[in-house]
């Protein structure tokens, strides 16, 4: 059979083309695009003379542009370390009293027990402060010593009142005052804000309480006094004020049942007081010229009231069954009518009626151990037992001064009884005594007994149980 060479040649060429395409598409896996390359790579371009078994690679990608160098940071000189700012010492930071003062006490460490701080709280009434200081300096000897005690006069100022500074820079105050400290939290206006717990119109009472706490802290924690007598800028003192405290502060330190010594009698009205030498215990804190010890401050420091510090001092949990000693005739007088927080609301009805003692008593020459609790309770029980029982106020008022005088010419002791608070208020009103009760006890009372004078006779106004059986005093 004759083979057509033309057709055979064409068949060979076709088979060659088929084989060439078959081998050309058997590419290795390594030529597939990596995840970092485009999902749609450009078609692979074969070199014209490449063998079908050669591993072919795509043409190289164009080079990335070079990363620019980071910008140059400006060269700065090293900053020297910041030195802490030293603030000028505030009076509150002073560890002792000013040693440069001409007069008064000069302390350099813990005060001896016989050195007493006389702390005067002031704010914005320089005229009142002047009157108070004039009385103090009148009765405080030039060496500040009375009996075994020496007094350091320290003024603690709240409020931003330049008149106080000007006053204290003049004589005789500048050379008699041992220290003038300023409360760093003084307030020009009543404080407001979430840190205050009471309504803004009463916030001034909080400011006063804060000042008291700070000032007492300075006296006891910073200056290390063992005891202090506290006054305010609107209080006069009696001629024997310093004799009184010099004799009773040792009793306060000795008797753990005592809470304070006070110069004030809440019922010290003219007509119901008589004996300048008479002293009594009371369960109700009187204030208005009072002494405390460092031991009491250690107890009260962390409990101190946010406001109404004097009411805080009357709380049973604070008093803790202790008493204060108070006189029958007050050794202080409150004269502030204007500018105070209460705006003198009690001045005409109560405070102005209090009698201040004008007959000096040499307290430091007297034996006052009868004020120690055991002896005092025994003496009080005996006095009530021996006193004459009067059935009613009307019966008492029918008696003349002669009827109420003993054969030896001394005033008689009598007793009246009350059943409850309402009964007490009715009797107190008749004799113009304070009707108010504090913590379920009448003002000035000790174990419920209130003492006052009627036509010079001493009257024990007693709870019914005590009036009929004075031995029950030991149970109260």
């Amino acid at each position: 059979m004759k083979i057509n060479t033309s057709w055979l040649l064409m068949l060979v060429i076709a088979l060659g083309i088929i084989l060439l395409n078959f081998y050309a598409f058997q590419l290795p896996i390594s030529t597939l695009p990596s995840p970092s390359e485009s999902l749609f790579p450009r078609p692979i371009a074969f070199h014209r003379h490449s063998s079908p078994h050669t591993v072919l690679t795509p043409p190289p990608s164009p080079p990335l542009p070079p990363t620019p160098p980071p910008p140059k940071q400006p060269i700065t000189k090293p900053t020297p370390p910041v030195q802490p700012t030293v603030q000028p010492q505030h009076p509150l930071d002073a560890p002792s009293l000013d040693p440069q003062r001409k007069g008064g006490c000069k302390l350099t460490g813990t005060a001896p027990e016989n050195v007493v701080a006389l702390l005067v709280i002031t704010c914005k009434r320089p005229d009142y402060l002047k009157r108070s200081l004039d009385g103090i300096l009148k009765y405080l000897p030039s060496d500040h010593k009375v009996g075994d005690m020496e007094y350091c006069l320290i003024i603690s100022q709240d409020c931003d009142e330049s008149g106080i500074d000007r006053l204290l820079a003049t004589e005789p105050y500048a050379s008699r005052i041992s220290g003038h400290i300023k409360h760093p939290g003084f307030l020009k206006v009543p404080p407001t804000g979430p840190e205050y717990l009471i309504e803004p119109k009463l916030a001034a009472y909080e400011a006063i309480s804060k000042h008291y706490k700070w000032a007492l802290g300075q006296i006891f924690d910073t200056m290390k006094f063992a005891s202090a007598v506290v006054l305010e800028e609107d209080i006069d003192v009696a001629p024997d004020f310093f004799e009184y405290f010099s004799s009773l502060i040792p009793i306060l330190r000795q008797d753990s049942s005592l809470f304070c010594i006070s110069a004030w009698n809440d019922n010290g009205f003219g007509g119901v007081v008589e004996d300048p030498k008479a002293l009594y215990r009371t369960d109700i804190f009187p204030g208005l010229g009072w002494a405390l010890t460092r031991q009491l401050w250690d107890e009260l420091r962390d409990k101190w009231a946010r406001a109404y510090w004097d009411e805080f001092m009357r709380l049973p949990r604070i008093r803790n069954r202790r008493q204060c000693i108070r006189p029958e005739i007050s050794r202080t007088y409150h004269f502030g009518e204007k500018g105070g927080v209460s705006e003198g609301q009690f001045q005409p009805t109560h405070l102005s009626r209090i009698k201040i003692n004008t007959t000096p008593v040499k307290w430091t020459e007297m034996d006052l151990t009868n004020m120690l609790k055991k002896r005092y309770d025994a003496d009080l029980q005996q006095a009530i037992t021996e006193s004459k029982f009067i059935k009613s106020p009307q019966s008492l008022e029918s008696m003349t001064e002669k009827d109420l005088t003993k054969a030896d010419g001394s005033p008689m002791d009598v007793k009246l009884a009350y059943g409850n608070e309402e009964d007490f208020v009715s009797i107190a009103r008749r004799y113009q005594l304070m009707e108010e009760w504090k913590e379920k006890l009448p003002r000035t009372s000790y174990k419920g007994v209130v003492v006052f004078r009627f036509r010079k006779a001493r009257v024990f106004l007693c709870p019914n149980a005590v009036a009929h059986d004075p031995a029950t005093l030991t149970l109260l």
Side-chain angles (χ1 to χ4, degrees), residues 253-274:
R253 293 174 180 163
Q254 181 180 350
D255 191 343
S256 62
S257 72
L258 285 173
F259 187 55
C260 79
I261 306 296
S262 176
W264 181 260
N265 177 9
D266 277 318
N267 281 326
F269 311 114
V272 295
V273 294
E274 181 69 26

Side-chain angles (χ1 to χ4, degrees), residues 6-155:
S6 301
W7 285 101
L8 181 62
L9 180 61
M10 292 176 65
L11 180 62
V12 171
I13 293 170
L15 289 172
I17 293 170
I18 292 171
L19 290 172
L20 180 63
N21 280 280
F22 175 79
Y23 283 105
F25 283 96
Q26 302 303 305
L27 300 177
I29 295 176
S30 62
T31 62
L32 295 176
S34 69
S36 63
E37 296 174 338
S38 170
L39 295 176
F40 302 99
R42 291 174 296 175
I44 299 175
F46 293 97
H47 293 286
R48 185 176 180 182
H49 301 291
S50 298
S51 163
H53 298 287
T54 303
V55 176
L56 302 178
T57 59
S61 301
L64 296 173
T67 304
K72 293 183 179 181
Q73 297 295 328
I75 300 175
T76 57
K77 295 181 180 180
T79 305
V82 177
Q83 297 297 325
T85 302
V86 179
Q87 298 292 340
Q89 190 180 54
H90 192 278
L92 74 93
D93 300 319
S96 63
L97 302 182
D98 185 356
Q100 303 302 319
R101 286 192 175 272
K102 300 175 185 177
C105 305
K106 299 177 179 67
L107 300 180
T108 56
T110 301
E113 281 204 350
N114 71 315
V115 178
V116 179
L118 178 60
L119 175 65
V120 180
I121 299 292
T122 188
C123 183
K124 59 182 180 180
R125 298 181 289 182
D127 53 337
Y128 281 7
L129 179 62
K130 182 182 186 304
R131 171 174 165 174
S132 180
L133 290 177
D134 286 346
I136 289 170
L137 298 182
K138 179 179 180 180
Y139 300 121
L140 181 63
S142 58
D143 63 358
H144 290 214
K145 295 179 181 179
V146 179
D148 294 331
M149 299 295 174
E150 180 178 358
Y151 292 86
C152 292
L153 178 54
I154 300 166
I155 312 300

Side-chain angles (χ1 to χ4, degrees), residues 217-228:
Q218 294 305 300
I219 293 299
F220 292 114
D221 301 331
T222 302
M223 300 179 190
K224 307 296 184 183
F225 283 95
S227 54

